[in-house]
Amino acid sequence: MKNESGKVDFENEAEFAKWCSSLKVPSTETHFVAIIEEHVKEIRNREIRKKEKYIDELSFSASYSKKRTVSATPVVVMDIDVSKQQEKRAYIFMNYFIKSIMLVGGTVEVDTVNKDNKDNTKIIWHNVRLSCRLFEQRVKYRELKDRPYGLMIPSYTLVPTGKLIFTILNSDQKEIVKISDDNEIKIEHEIQFLFIELRKIIVALSQQIEKENEIKRKEDEQSYHTWEMEWEAKKEEEQRENQKKQIEKYRHQIGNQIARWNELNKVKNYVEELRNSTGLISQENKEEIEKYCQYVETIFTKEEFYQEILAFIKMVQ
């Protein structure tokens, strides 16, 4: 009935049903789980806040001297809404329900950051999230059977009936399981039925989640594949664009090199023509002209140009 971890084997339907048949809500309880203790504390604090509500109506100077006995900020707790007369029953039932859920691998918690800031009870079991409510049926006083004689209460006032109702809701807050007091049959007697029905729902929803996750996984894989192809295509396009830009840059550099080469050749022709045209000038002037030609050849040397060409070749290889 239980595996090595001490939990009930959820997967084995026969063993689970056998375990369900052993469920029995106790008539008394002294050790409550933490979230029930938190509910007890908060309900008491809410009663105190009602009594201290008048402080909000006082002026600042008057309210300054009045100290609150509890924090004015409400705390979100489990969704249990019953009269004082039914609190003990409600807490014992919920305590047993929570401990039983834990035995089958689930947890029960309160969503303290929900956007509506409402009391709530969340069941997390096999990756399925559900909500549950435990409340007492209330009816208008005029509809109450066996009304106390002589009690002065407006006929439209909602009054508790002592009838407890426990419901489980899906993620859309639609009721999917309900047990309630019915004459001699109390919700405590329905605990076995509750867990058998709950397992059916968990199994169905788990399978649905697995299918949805599988569909999502395939969609994610396809999406990633599409993104990868688009990324590769974009990368190739960027590479082509970079190559075009690089070629254009090299063309511009080669154009400058051609212009430089032509300039050097012009300088060479210029120097040769200058040397060959000194026949009519004095020897002294010829020597000066020669010095000039040598200077021009020094600052317009092709050796430096060859080094630039060799460096360019290494860069483009």
Side-chain angles (χ1 to χ4, degrees):
M1 186 162 62
K2 296 183 181 180
N3 55 33
E4 294 179 359
S5 65
K7 295 185 182 299
V8 177
D9 188 356
F10 174 85
E11 303 296 337
N12 190 319
E13 184 176 0
E15 290 296 328
F16 188 87
K18 184 178 179 181
W19 171 77
C20 287
S21 66
S22 68
L23 296 177
K24 183 178 181 181
V25 180
S27 57
T28 60
E29 182 61 75
T30 55
H31 297 91
F32 292 95
V33 293
I35 55 175
I36 289 183
E37 296 285 3
E38 291 168 2
H39 187 276
V40 174
K41 180 181 177 181
E42 176 59 15
I43 294 302
R44 298 296 172 262
N45 287 346
R46 290 178 185 180
E47 293 173 356
I48 296 172
R49 288 189 196 102
K50 285 183 180 179
K51 294 178 180 178
E52 296 178 347
K53 185 70 175 176
Y54 75 95
I55 297 177
D56 297 332
E57 309 300 326
L58 299 176
S59 64
F60 176 78
S61 58
S63 63
Y64 185 77
S65 61
K66 300 289 184 181
K67 291 188 178 181
R68 299 180 186 273
T69 55
V70 297
S71 170
T73 305
V75 176
V76 176
V77 290
M78 296 178 69
D79 191 358
I80 301 175
D81 182 16
V82 297
S83 63
K84 280 186 174 297
Q85 291 76 13
Q86 297 300 322
E87 277 186 351
K88 182 180 178 181
R89 271 191 69 201
Y91 288 143
I92 291 175
F93 177 86
M94 279 305 299
N95 192 68
Y96 189 75
F97 175 78
I98 293 169
K99 289 182 176 179
S100 299
I101 283 287
M102 293 170 66
L103 276 176
V104 290
T107 58
V108 177
E109 61 184 39
V110 174
D111 180 7
T112 58
V113 292
N114 68 91
K115 63 180 181 180
D116 298 322
N117 207 35
K118 290 183 178 180
D119 290 349
N120 63 88
T121 311
K122 303 297 181 182
I123 303 170
I124 300 92
W125 192 6
H126 279 256
N127 298 320
V128 176
R129 293 183 66 89
L130 303 171
S131 300
C132 66
R133 295 187 63 220
L134 177 57
F135 59 98
E136 184 175 359
Q137 184 186 54
R138 288 175 170 80
V139 297
K140 293 179 180 179
Y141 180 69
R142 64 172 175 265
E143 299 171 357
L144 187 66
K145 295 180 180 180
D146 302 323
R147 292 191 297 271
Y149 178 76
L151 194 62
M152 301 299 291
I153 297 178
S155 62
Y156 55 82
T157 301
L158 290 176
V159 293
T161 62
K163 179 180 178 179
L164 296 188
I165 301 172
F166 182 78
T167 61
I168 295 178
L169 308 98
N170 62 15
S171 57
D172 297 324
Q173 296 302 296
K174 181 180 179 181
E175 184 181 289
I176 51 179
V177 181
K178 176 182 177 180
I179 59 174
S180 60
D181 291 344
D182 185 13
N183 297 325
E184 298 301 319
I185 304 299
K186 305 298 183 184
I187 61 172
E188 291 87 345
H189 306 140
E190 298 289 325
I191 192 71
Q192 298 176 12
F193 165 80
L194 174 64
F195 271 88
I196 290 174
E197 290 300 305
L198 188 54
R199 181 187 180 278
K200 293 177 184 177
I201 292 168
I202 294 296
V203 169
L205 290 177
S206 294
Q207 292 173 349
Q208 180 182 336
I209 291 172
E210 287 179 5
K211 289 180 181 179
E212 291 173 352
N213 288 342
E214 180 63 19
I215 292 172
K216 186 177 185 304
R217 184 186 66 80
K218 290 181 179 179
E219 289 176 347
D220 289 344
E221 286 181 356
Q222 181 60 40
S223 177
Y224 177 78
H225 179 66
T226 302
W227 172 85
E228 192 175 36
M229 291 181 64
E230 292 175 351
W231 183 82
E232 289 290 344
K234 183 179 179 181
K235 183 179 178 182
E236 290 175 1
E237 180 62 25
E238 289 177 351
Q239 288 176 342
R240 285 193 293 270
E241 288 297 320
N242 290 336
Q243 287 175 351
K244 288 180 181 179
K245 291 178 181 179
Q246 195 66 43
I247 289 172
E248 188 62 31
K249 178 181 177 181
Y250 290 160
R251 284 176 177 172
H252 180 73
Q253 288 179 285
I254 292 171
N256 290 338
Q257 291 164 0
I258 293 171
R260 178 86 182 279
W261 179 255
N262 291 334
E263 182 184 26
L264 290 172
N265 286 330
K266 286 181 181 180
V267 171
K268 178 183 177 183
N269 293 333
Y270 166 70
V271 170
E272 288 179 354
E273 289 178 4
L274 189 59
R275 281 174 173 152
N276 294 331
S277 62
T278 59
L280 301 177
I281 62 176
S282 65
Q283 184 62 33
E284 183 180 353
N285 288 338
K286 284 183 180 182
E287 292 175 357
E288 293 298 323
I289 293 296
E290 181 59 28
K291 289 179 181 179
Y292 168 75
C293 289
Q294 291 177 359
Y295 175 73
V296 172
E297 288 175 336
T298 300
I299 61 175
F300 286 94
T301 176
K302 286 186 176 181
E303 183 62 30
E304 181 180 345
F305 177 75
Y306 291 144
Q307 294 300 322
E308 292 178 5
I309 294 297
L310 291 173
F312 179 79
I313 293 172
K314 288 181 180 180
M315 180 180 67
V316 299
Q317 286 179 340

